[in-house]
Every structure is written in structure tokens, then in C-alpha cells.
Amino acid sequence: MFLPAAAEAPPPAPAPPGHILVVEDDPAMREAILEHLRDRGLPALGAPTSAAARRALATGEPGLVLLDLQLGGEDGLDLLREIRSASDVPVVIITGRRREEIDRVVGLELGADDYLDKPFGLRELLARIRAVLRRQEIGRASRDRDPERGGYRFAGWRLERRLRRLTDPAGVETPLTRGEYALLLAFLAAPRRVLTREQLLHATRLHEDVFDRSIDVQVLRLRRKLEADPGAPKLILTERGLGYRFAAEVEAW
């Protein structure tokens, strides 16, 4: 759950279930996005600042957050960190022209599900939002069909699928994000096989148009958690020009 709103701020009205929270400080752009979404049957609420977004999040989790990373003098990445530390709600980030590549990489590393660069068309925005929501629904249906029993052992590590819990050789739990968990499952299901970026994108249910190096970012994050020396990995190896290969012996149970 998100932290409650500040005491001095009046509590906002309850948000409709599954709404889209548009965090954008430009009034004209925010209203254009809200109108476009609502006209197409998607409930949406606007927040001009990080503080307003936090108050909105305190009333109930939205179905998706559309987050501009340049909120005036505020850094939208800080708000993204807060959201991701408290929730798995899908987040689509909007980046401007200045430092856009850095913002994209950092945003994806922090757990954003997709991104858009300014300027963008409202039709593309709607398509991206619907794609992210569709992937979330597919993932939810898949989890409902598969109780994820059993797990894997590799190099002293243990992954329990039912609990989604990863423990290191010393038995200490290592937390994983949704993307890291899906990526690790893809590797463990196909040990010692080269997996292309396209295969890994599909396995982690990322949209085809998402920045391709987002897989490289996910691999880097996973290496930092699994490898004694991420700079000289022994478990997740890079196959240049091809993709990645999980080198350890894997035992399913």
C-alpha cells in the first residue's frame, strides 16, 4: 500500500477502479491526454505534481500510471522509485529530449513497463497503454492457470516458484522484481542454450517496441544479484551478436 497523503492536504475523492493516473505538469498536455483516454472509455485522473500523485495513489491503486519524468523542478524518477517499492502497478514513463536516453535506461531499470518520447501522438500513447494493460491481463490469467509449483536449484541457489522466493547458497532471500523473476525463469527453463533478445523480450512479456537494451538492463540487474563479480559473470554469459546463455547446471524439482 502507498503512504497516506500529507495531513494538511484534503483527501481526494475515491478513484474509479482500474483508472489511469496521468502525472503531468503541463496543464494543456495533461487535459488533452485525460480527454483522449476518457473519450475512449478509459477512466483517468490527472496529477500535476508528485505530491498530488502521492495523494491520488493513497486513495487506491490505479490500473496504470502514466508518468512524466520531468515534473517542473521535481524528478519523476524519485516518484517512480516510490511507486515501484510499494506496488507492481504498470508504469509508462514519458521522457523529454534532454537526457532522454539516460532517463529511458534508468526508468526501465527502476521497473517501468514502457516509455514514450516527447513529442508523441495520442493514438500511439493509447496503443502503448492498451498493450501494457493487455500484457498485465495475460500474465494474470497465466498465473491463475498455473499455480507455479516446484522450482529450480542452480549453483547453490534455490528458486521456489509458488512463493516466488529466491535464496542464495547461504539461505538468505534475494528479492526480485517482476521483470527479474520472469527473466530468471526464462534462463532456468532453458539452461546452457543461447536465448536471443527477442526470445527474452517475449518471455518477460515486454512490448516489441520497448527499447531493445531494456533486456540488457534487466540482465545487468539480475547479474548484480546472482554473480559474485557482475563484471566477470559466470552464470549469465553474453553471446556476442546472439544474446545470452545461462551457464550453470539447473535442477528442476
Side-chain angles (χ1 to χ4, degrees):
M1 293 295 292
F2 292 96
L3 293 176
E8 64 274 11
H19 68 284
I20 296 171
L21 178 61
V22 179
V23 187
E24 168 61 63
D25 64 335
D26 184 317
M29 178 173 289
R30 185 174 64 251
E31 290 306 314
I33 292 172
L34 290 172
E35 182 179 357
H36 190 75
L37 295 176
R38 290 165 179 166
D39 286 348
R40 283 146 187 83
L42 294 174
L45 297 176
T49 64
S50 293
R54 292 185 185 97
R55 291 195 294 271
L57 291 166
T59 68
E61 186 167 305
L64 182 141
V65 176
L66 182 65
L67 173 61
D68 188 347
L69 295 185
Q70 296 181 1
L71 296 171
E74 303 174 280
D75 187 351
L77 289 172
D78 291 335
L79 180 58
L80 176 58
R81 289 187 186 93
E82 293 181 35
I83 293 173
R84 194 49 75 229
S85 68
S87 170
D88 282 337
V89 60
V91 179
V92 177
I93 57 177
I94 301 173
T95 64
R97 291 176 179 174
R98 190 166 75 85
R99 297 179 62 232
E100 64 178 11
E101 184 173 347
I102 296 174
D103 286 344
R104 282 201 304 263
V105 173
V106 175
L108 291 167
E109 186 173 9
L110 289 175
D113 295 84
D114 203 346
Y115 74 90
L116 275 169
D117 290 330
K118 291 181 179 178
F120 55 83
L122 292 176
R123 291 176 61 185
E124 180 185 7
L125 170 65
L126 181 62
R128 293 296 184 102
I129 288 174
R130 283 177 168 165
V132 170
L133 292 174
R134 185 164 58 248
R135 290 199 305 275
Q136 184 192 45
E137 186 58 35
I138 291 172
R140 183 184 296 113
S142 176
R143 290 192 296 271
D144 290 343
R145 290 193 302 269
D146 181 6
E148 295 190 331
R149 294 172 182 167
Y152 297 96
R153 298 185 184 91
F154 61 94
W157 293 77
R158 176 186 173 96
L159 180 68
E160 299 176 65
R161 295 188 67 195
R162 185 175 63 84
L163 299 176
R164 298 195 173 200
R165 182 169 63 189
L166 176 68
T167 50
D168 68 13
V172 178
E173 184 172 350
T174 300
L176 296 173
T177 65
R178 285 185 308 165
E180 291 165 354
Y181 175 79
L183 184 61
L184 180 57
L185 275 186
F187 282 128
L188 297 180
R192 300 184 176 178
R193 283 174 44 195
V194 175
L195 298 178
T196 66
R197 286 180 175 82
E198 182 179 357
Q199 289 172 314
L200 294 172
L201 282 167
H202 177 75
T204 53
R205 299 188 181 93
L206 291 176
H207 192 262
E208 288 82 356
D209 291 335
V210 169
F211 189 37
D212 185 59
R213 286 184 60 81
S214 63
I215 282 297
D216 300 321
V217 171
Q218 292 274 16
V219 168
L220 176 60
R221 294 174 62 187
L222 194 55
R223 278 175 172 164
R224 288 173 179 167
K225 294 185 176 181
L226 296 180
E227 305 278 5
D229 181 3
K234 297 184 180 301
L235 295 177
I236 305 175
L237 304 183
T238 301
E239 299 290 343
R240 295 195 179 278
L242 298 174
Y244 295 95
R245 175 170 58 89
F246 197 78
E249 181 177 345
V250 177
E251 175 190 355
W253 53 274

